[in-house]
């Protein structure tokens, strides 16, 4: 089923709101509790990330931590210097086309 532009816009807005709220939790040091084992089991059947992040390959902090998101909630593409090149673009296209990430 295709997602309409209006529905996609609404889901993108919700995704941004979730990321911003998660970042505020991270800043306050109030990260949400996570049950990684249960979440990993659920993700075995597939993923439907709420956002796509192009980030730097810097190993010091992950986007999942900065935005206080659980496993499978962010599709992360990491490159040195956050450079968009064909492989990175293809990864983002995959997340949009196949995973329906807003």
């Amino acid at each position: 089923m295709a997602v309409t532009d209006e529905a996609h816009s609404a889901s993108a807005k919700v995704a941004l709101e979730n990321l911003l709220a998660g970042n505020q939790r991270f800043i306050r040091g109030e990260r949400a509790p996570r049950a990684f084992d249960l979440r990993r089991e659920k993700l075995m059947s597939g993923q439907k990330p709420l956002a796509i992040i192009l980030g730097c390959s810097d190993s010091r902090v992950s986007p999942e931590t900065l935005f206080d998101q659980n496993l499978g909630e962010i599709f992360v593409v990491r490159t040195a210097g956050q450079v968009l090149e064909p492989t990175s673009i293809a990864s983002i296209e995959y997340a949009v086309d196949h995973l329906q990430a807003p």
Side-chain angles (χ1 to χ4, degrees), residues 2-3 7 14 17 19 28-29 38 42 44 48 51-52 70 76-77 79-80 84 90 92 94 96 99-101:
V3 177
V14 169
E17 289 170 357
L19 292 175
R28 291 190 309 266
L38 296 173
K42 183 178 179 183
M44 290 174 74
K48 186 160 176 30
I52 304 164
N70 207 343
V76 181
V77 178
T79 67
L84 270 177
I92 292 168
Y94 171 81
V96 172
L99 303 178
Q100 305 296 305

Side-chain angles (χ1 to χ4, degrees), residues 38-101:
L38 296 173
R39 182 69 179 162
R40 234 182 18 248
E41 282 181 36
K42 183 178 179 183
L43 290 170
M44 290 174 74
S45 63
Q47 60 178 311
K48 186 160 176 30
L50 66 92
I52 304 164
I53 301 280
L54 172 65
C56 185
S57 296
D58 190 320
S59 65
R60 293 172 284 187
V61 181
S62 71
E64 294 87 352
T65 300
L66 288 173
F67 294 109
D68 192 28
Q69 299 299 307
N70 207 343
L71 296 173
E73 292 179 339
I74 301 177
F75 188 90
V76 181
V77 178
R78 296 174 83 164
T79 67
Q82 297 165 289
V83 176
L84 270 177
E85 40 72 41
T87 304
S88 301
I89 293 168
S91 296
I92 292 168
E93 289 173 343
Y94 171 81
V96 172
D97 292 342
H98 298 282
L99 303 178
Q100 305 296 305

